[in-house]
Amino acid sequence: KNNWTYLHILPIKSAIRADVNRNGQADIVIDFGAGKGIWALLDDGSWQQIHGVSAKWIIVADMDGSGQDDLIVDFGDPYGIWIYRDFTTWVPLHGTTSKSAVAADLDHNGRTDIVIDFGDAYGIWVYLNNSTWQNLHSVSARWMVRADLDKNRQDDLVIDFGPTYGIWIRYKNTSCAPLHGTSAKSAVAADVSRSGFRDTVFIDFDTAYGIWGYNKAGNWSQLHGLSAKGMVVADTD
């Protein structure tokens, strides 16, 4: 659409889409930062407070298989990571704050798992099937992205382990393969071919190389010569 809609006078720290009021319509969950906390802009235009504390990161996943969105929030020290079950009940997930997280169905059983990077001290762990912790890698990542790169309708992980190791792909939660030797600034996965899969990963290699796309066929193509401050995926047309 070509129209701009006024959202709020305050600047935001982060935002994510989720079905907060469980009516099948996407709402916007917004973290306004310290002193304001986390709020939801519902599809009817009303505001609902989610929590008074700002978050380090927020992701959305149906962890318990209820068919309703759960909110997974890292509130930082001293609160750790919590789950807002079906947007009704807060339950603790882990007492340690972390670096980042991504939702992906790693064991391909139809239930979303949570991949959490706890930083250099603990590395990357997976909370499988809403019940079990599994160590994924001892090295912390610069960033992690979910994508279906081999086009089998199963989630893969693209992980940047920094300048020492570069970027790797973890297929089917069983095997790893190198993708690129150069560490990058950030990445997003998008279904630009409209095939129903997240089969292209767009990687921002910073000012030296700009933004490149990598698809399931193993092809690299440059999207833009400039680096970006941020990248998101959206259906704008």
Side-chain angles (χ1 to χ4, degrees):
K1 295 182 179 181
N2 298 320
N3 300 321
W4 286 92
T5 301
Y6 181 76
L7 190 63
H8 204 283
I9 192 173
L10 293 176
I12 67 172
K13 183 178 179 181
S14 64
I16 196 168
R17 289 166 63 87
D19 184 8
V20 177
N21 52 6
R22 305 182 301 281
N23 67 349
Q25 301 294 323
D27 310 300
I28 306 175
V29 178
I30 301 175
D31 185 350
F32 286 104
K36 304 296 181 181
I38 305 168
W39 290 74
L41 176 59
L42 303 181
D43 58 278
D44 62 5
S46 63
W47 288 92
Q48 175 181 318
Q49 188 172 33
I50 302 296
H51 205 284
V53 177
S54 178
K56 193 170 183 179
W57 52 256
I58 304 173
I59 61 174
V60 175
D62 180 11
M63 295 181 62
D64 52 5
S66 66
Q68 302 291 340
D69 286 341
D70 304 311
L71 201 66
I72 302 92
V73 184
D74 187 339
F75 287 107
D77 290 325
Y79 306 107
I81 306 168
W82 288 71
I83 306 170
Y84 199 19
R85 296 279 190 206
D86 301 335
F87 284 92
T88 57
T89 306
W90 286 99
V91 294
L93 177 61
H94 202 286
T96 303
T97 187
S98 62
K99 185 177 177 180
S100 63
V102 64
D105 181 8
L106 290 187
D107 52 3
H108 311 129
N109 65 351
R111 177 172 288 184
T112 306
D113 310 303
I114 306 300
V115 183
I116 302 178
D117 185 350
F118 285 101
D120 294 333
Y122 304 105
I124 304 171
W125 288 73
V126 183
Y127 191 58
L128 283 170
N129 302 319
N130 198 35
S131 62
T132 306
W133 286 100
Q134 173 185 305
N135 183 235
L136 184 68
H137 206 287
S138 60
V139 177
S140 178
R142 189 172 184 183
W143 49 258
M144 303 181 293
V145 170
R146 176 187 64 170
D148 179 13
L149 285 175
D150 50 5
K151 203 175 180 181
N152 63 352
R153 296 186 181 272
Q154 296 179 345
D155 288 343
D156 308 309
L157 282 178
V158 183
I159 305 177
D160 186 338
F161 287 107
T164 302
Y165 305 102
I167 306 170
W168 289 69
I169 305 173
R170 185 174 179 86
Y171 290 109
K172 307 172 185 176
N173 201 32
T174 56
S175 61
C176 291
L179 177 60
H180 203 286
T182 302
S183 180
K185 184 179 178 180
S186 63
V188 295
D191 178 19
V192 293
S193 62
R194 294 176 292 180
S195 61
F197 306 93
R198 294 181 180 88
D199 54 11
T200 301
V201 177
F202 293 97
I203 302 176
D204 186 346
F205 285 101
D206 216 331
T207 54
Y209 305 105
I211 304 171
W212 288 72
Y214 177 83
N215 63 24
K216 62 183 184 303
N219 299 319
W220 286 94
S221 59
Q222 190 173 38
L223 179 67
H224 205 287
L226 296 178
S227 177
K229 189 173 183 179
M231 298 186 293
V232 296
V233 176
D235 181 6
T236 58
D237 55 1

